[in-house]
Amino acid sequence: MGLVMLFFGLCFMGGWAAAIGALVYAVVTLVRIWPRDWVRHDGHLAVRLLVPTPVYVRLDVALAVLAFLVDLWLVSAAIVFGSDGVFTEDWMGYPGMTDPSGQGYQAGVVHALRTMAWWTSGIAVLCRCWITAGVQVCVLPLAAWWIGSFDTYYT
């Protein structure tokens, strides 16, 4: 088993714990900043809308870390489940076909990652979480492209 596959296996197995820890931290940050001002009161309307307060930026950073950990867990899960006979990359271990029902797996994973990227980044933009939106637009489409570039037994 390759070192990269070991990394993704560990991210899949322990990633849920890191994501839950980041979720707890984001909730604690939200509770701490709840009574404070989330919107600037001075300056032009566009500046008040586009430039959040430092307290809100702290929440945005916590949400960006949470989104990154969840994205890493999702990509790890897709690679770990796909390594069981769908993908034929050299670093994945056993190269034999063991899952004949996996013909649409790669396309489904790529579509799911791209769809999740646009939905989550859209929600982040609506909530003015610019850092979180940037993380979602950068990480998930690149991961979808990477997974889409894998050789499979069915193509």
Side-chain angles (χ1 to χ4, degrees):
M1 181 187 285
L3 189 61
V4 177
M5 192 59 198
L6 178 65
F7 170 74
F8 283 113
L10 291 175
C11 286
F12 172 66
M13 289 184 286
W16 59 271
I20 288 174
L23 177 64
V24 168
Y25 180 74
V27 169
V28 167
T29 304
L30 179 64
V31 168
R32 279 197 286 170
I33 72 166
W34 192 262
R36 299 197 182 149
D37 290 334
W38 290 25
V39 180
R40 296 182 183 273
H41 296 294
D42 53 341
H44 192 268
L45 178 64
V47 171
R48 286 186 285 172
L49 180 66
L50 295 176
V51 181
T53 61
V55 177
Y56 196 74
V57 170
R58 220 174 306 140
L59 175 66
D60 189 13
V61 168
L63 290 175
V65 169
L66 172 65
F68 179 76
L69 290 173
V70 169
D71 295 346
L72 184 61
W73 184 79
L74 284 172
V75 171
S76 297
I79 290 172
V80 167
F81 289 131
S83 68
D84 189 27
V86 177
F87 301 132
T88 61
E89 296 297 316
D90 292 334
W91 49 267
M92 286 193 176
Y94 177 70
M97 183 170 64
T98 60
D99 185 11
S101 65
Q103 286 184 323
Y105 180 78
Q106 184 180 23
V109 166
V110 169
H111 178 69
L113 289 176
R114 286 182 181 163
T115 302
M116 183 175 175
W118 294 116
W119 274 101
T120 55
S121 63
I123 292 169
V125 165
L126 287 176
C127 295
R128 296 182 321 127
C129 296
W130 311 122
I131 300 169
T132 305
V135 166
Q136 293 300 91
V137 165
C138 291
V139 172
L140 287 177
L142 286 175
W145 170 79
W146 183 54
I147 290 175
S149 70
F150 288 173
D151 290 331
T152 64
Y153 290 104
Y154 309 105
T155 57

